[in-house]
Amino acid sequence: VSGLVPAPQLVEWRLASPVEPHGLLVTTLVPGVPLADVLPSADADLQRALGEGLGRALGRLSGMPMNGPGAFRDATLVLGGYPDHAESLVTWWDHYARGSALEGLSPGQRETVRSLAARGDSLLAVGRRACLVHGDLRPQNVLVDPEAATVTGLVDWEFVHAGHPVEDLGSLLREGRRTPFAEAVVDAMLPWLPDAEQASPADLVERARAADLYWLIEAASRRGQGPATDRAYEHLLAMGDSGSLL
């Protein structure tokens, strides 16, 4: 992604070995402060400026084609497959709903979430190509310069993989989509998508929420293991009550 999106540059890396048991990864230092520390107090103008910058970065990532989808097996970026149950959101839900914390949802909520998974599959079928996905794009992993109102870096790439063009947008909008920041991200990303994937901002957000449903289901199935899993469960609970991906 060098020169295409702001990210740390690789300086040196070394795999662990029997001779040297510790691996090594050295990157350049990216300037800026976490977006998570800036957004709560940012006015509408600053939110929009930072959202536009991040939306453009998401657009560039969505245009980096991969032979995926899949996880990278090694440093050569050879792709490995996804789990057998990952071929659709419905099969993903059916796999994780059995014998997990998801059994805590009422029968009606479970059926509603399964129907939302089916809707999500139809929404995601709009874009059948694979691209480079950061995999953990949250405000904590975005660095910004609030004085210049610019995005200075995307960090923490350990979950990078080949996936759906709106996966990163879905994780970014997980906690809120009605702010000037979120609206600017969506508006700035849209022009980068190919004609077949163009949509209204509202429709793109729903597609992104469908892509994020993979993470929500898996994380919610582990409810009780930490704040993130508990929050994912609350998201699914709300979806089961409302009948909406949003």
Side-chain angles (χ1 to χ4, degrees):
V1 301
S2 178
L4 297 171
V5 298
Q9 300 301 299
L10 184 64
V11 176
E12 181 183 357
W13 67 278
R14 182 173 64 241
L15 294 176
S17 69
V19 177
E20 176 51 68
H22 301 291
L24 175 72
L25 177 68
V26 181
T27 72
T28 55
L29 177 65
V30 178
V33 296
L35 177 63
D37 295 344
V38 175
L39 273 183
S41 60
D43 61 24
D45 288 341
L46 179 56
Q47 286 192 40
R48 279 190 286 268
L50 296 176
E52 289 171 1
L54 189 50
R56 288 192 295 271
L58 282 178
R60 293 190 182 100
L61 278 176
S62 74
M64 298 181 190
M66 304 298 300
N67 292 327
F72 297 125
R73 294 173 56 186
D74 54 36
T76 67
L77 304 188
V78 170
L79 290 174
Y82 277 164
D84 290 341
H85 47 272
E87 58 265 25
S88 73
L89 278 167
V90 171
T91 56
W92 188 259
W93 165 261
D94 288 345
H95 174 80
Y96 282 102
R98 293 189 297 268
S100 75
L102 294 176
E103 292 185 341
L105 298 176
S106 71
Q109 290 167 336
R110 287 161 59 88
E111 184 58 34
T112 298
V113 174
R114 193 177 191 277
S115 68
L116 289 175
R119 172 163 175 74
D121 284 332
S122 66
L123 290 169
L124 295 178
V126 171
R128 293 188 175 276
R129 63 190 179 88
C131 70
L132 191 68
V133 174
H134 178 281
D136 193 22
L137 198 66
R138 300 172 293 133
Q140 294 91 328
N141 292 336
V142 179
L143 299 181
V144 301
D145 180 344
E147 297 300 322
T150 58
V151 175
T152 58
L154 309 182
V155 298
D156 289 355
W157 290 78
E158 62 265 36
F159 296 109
V160 66
H161 61 278
H164 198 281
V166 295
E167 273 189 64
D168 284 332
L169 181 63
S171 62
L172 188 66
L173 300 182
R174 188 177 298 150
E175 299 296 338
R177 58 187 176 83
R178 293 191 177 96
T179 64
F181 167 77
E183 292 171 355
V185 170
V186 173
D187 289 343
M189 181 181 179
L190 260 173
W192 294 82
L193 298 178
D195 290 345
E197 295 174 24
Q198 287 295 311
S200 69
D203 288 344
L204 184 64
V205 169
E206 189 177 21
R207 196 186 308 162
R209 297 299 302 122
D212 195 46
L213 195 54
Y214 275 102
W215 182 88
L216 284 176
I217 290 171
E218 188 279 328
S221 73
R222 296 182 285 110
R223 181 191 184 193
Q225 296 184 16
T229 64
D230 293 347
R231 183 62 178 150
Y233 188 89
E234 293 301 320
H235 273 297
L236 282 189
L237 191 65
M239 289 179 179
D241 288 336
S242 67
S244 170
L245 286 167
L246 303 178

